Amino acid sequence: MEEKPVITNNEAQHRFETIQNDEVAFLEYRFYKKDIALMHTLVPKALEGRGIASALAVYAFDYARQYNMPVMVYCPFVAAFLKKHPEYNVQVDKNYVK
């Protein structure tokens, strides 16, 4: 069984990330007004299939909830994640229409 990835907030590069076997997987974000915009997820081929992208998305939504920030979704992976996990849709900014 794979261990849950250790995810950190790399504030300098505006991304939530995890490093495994010298490979970096990340979910890039930006702040816009009072929102956090989830921009792009990248998981290197060597790390695919381990649930890392989903773990990054969960971390991002937890971060947004902790700081009471509505979420804007630009990342296609996160958009697909929301379809599988609609419980996070309550955090999406209702004034935001992509």
Side-chain angles (χ1 to χ4, degrees):
M1 183 173 175
E2 293 283 331
E3 284 187 34
K4 186 176 176 182
V6 175
I7 299 171
T8 58
N9 181 4
N10 181 335
E11 293 180 21
Q13 293 189 323
H14 295 104
R15 64 190 199 181
F16 304 115
E17 64 184 23
T18 185
I19 302 170
Q20 297 183 13
N21 303 327
D22 296 325
E23 299 274 0
V24 180
F26 63 85
L27 171 51
E28 186 177 346
Y29 64 84
R30 295 288 180 264
F31 295 116
Y32 179 74
K33 297 185 181 180
K34 64 180 176 39
D35 292 8
I36 185 169
L38 304 179
M39 306 302 293
H40 176 68
T41 302
L42 177 76
V43 176
K45 200 110 174 117
L47 299 179
E48 287 180 356
R50 300 181 188 184
I52 292 172
S54 292
L56 288 164
V58 169
Y59 187 95
F61 280 100
D62 288 348
Y63 178 90
R65 182 175 31 253
Q66 179 182 356
Y67 292 98
N68 199 29
M69 285 188 271
V71 177
M72 299 169 71
V73 178
Y74 291 95
C75 173
F77 174 82
V78 176
F81 173 86
L82 284 172
K83 289 180 182 176
K84 293 179 183 176
H85 303 277
E87 64 272 21
Y88 291 101
N89 280 316
V90 297
Q91 292 181 251
V92 175
D93 188 337
K94 305 301 180 228
N95 298 315
Y96 156 73
V97 179
K98 184 176 172 200

